[in-house]
Amino acid sequence: PGTTSNITDILTGRCEEYRKCLLGEPCLPFYRNVKCRAAVESFFKGIRNMDPCATPDNAYDEFLNMVPPTTVRGTTMFWSGVMGNNIPQDVAQVTPEFSVLEETFPGYMAGNLSWCGATDGDGTGLGLNFTVCPTWTSETCPNNTKAAFWARASKMLATQAVGDVYVVLNAQRAGGAFNNGSIFATIEAPNLNQDVVTNVAIYLIPDFQLAIPNEMYRETCTNGSVLYLQNFLMNMNFNVTCEENPKEIMWLQCARFANSPYCGPYAKGNPVV
Ligand code: NFD
């Protein structure tokens, strides 16, 4: 896939927006003093002249310590398998009750950008590739420059979460709503802190755009990989709840996909009318 050729300017601009609290996100006094040029420099420092498929786990640590992801107690929302329509991100944006990684300082800066290191250079002398980056797959390019970023930022998000937390999963995901190899499964869930997280609420949402007739749920809260996840979390000593098609998200999906058969009084296959 192509890279974001003007990434340095974009990161700097987003850093200034976030730092100055122009985004309506919870905004800490601590961030106000962030030096954006230095922050952007540290973003690239660990990946310059590096093989884009052999990024060290800690490549972004200096950057992430300058602008750590923080969320308000009781609002941290994880998601997995539902990225296509940006539903969790949009729900989080319109309600202060939920905060996703993409709303935190580092998540906002890097959101929807593409970048990677380069050992051979491409003429810019920056040790980055401004033309093309290898596609992530666990087999061909496991320690991808971009994957290393989201993995580390996700870990920090989970580690700092306090109070009730949420995870949005796709009830119609092929292979199961809870995917064992996902970042949620491998990085976020294992880094939640039993001493401070008071409940993990699973929000199982149907795909209102795809809207497979009479099949809102391939899995429910009481079977398949979702049941497995609940047991996994309970074995880790977490309180767990699970809700199918919670209203806060259903409303937004119906606003977005107004003609979905999953909306309205004639919604078919909906056990939670
Ligand atoms: P997904 P998830 N390496 O829907 N997050 O649980 C690379 F390179 O299966 C945010 O994995 O859910 N890409 C963002 C990967 C990205 C890998 C990633 C991997 N090992 C994670 N695994 C973001 N904002 O861009 C998955 N992907 C790609 C955090 C996959 O192709 C969020 O806090 C898809 O484009 C969220 O709670 C995307 O990552 C959780 O981790 C999501 O995969 C979602 O990761």
Side-chain angles (χ1 to χ4, degrees), residues 91-135:
V91 167
Q93 199 168 40
V94 296
T95 109
E97 275 84 39
F98 304 121
S99 324
V100 290
L101 181 58
E102 297 74 21
E103 295 179 291
T104 69
F105 204 133
Y108 180 74
M109 279 181 68
N112 300 316
L113 303 182
S114 184
W115 71 97
C116 60
T119 45
D120 47 355
D122 65 347
T124 61
L126 292 170
L128 300 169
N129 191 325
F130 287 101
T131 318
V132 68
C133 287
T135 307

Side-chain angles (χ1 to χ4, degrees), residues 249-270:
I249 299 183
M250 183 270 279
W251 281 324
L252 183 130
Q253 295 219 70
C254 286
R256 171 96 30 104
F257 309 112
N259 298 318
S260 174
Y262 295 169
C263 300
Y266 303 110
K268 290 221 165 56
N270 183 354

Side-chain angles (χ1 to χ4, degrees), residues 78-81 83 101-102 136 147 150 154 157 182-184 188:
F78 306 98
W79 52 267
S80 191
M83 187 65 170
L101 181 58
E102 297 74 21
W136 172 77
W150 290 109
S154 299
L157 178 76
S182 65
I183 290 187
F184 174 69
E188 291 174 331

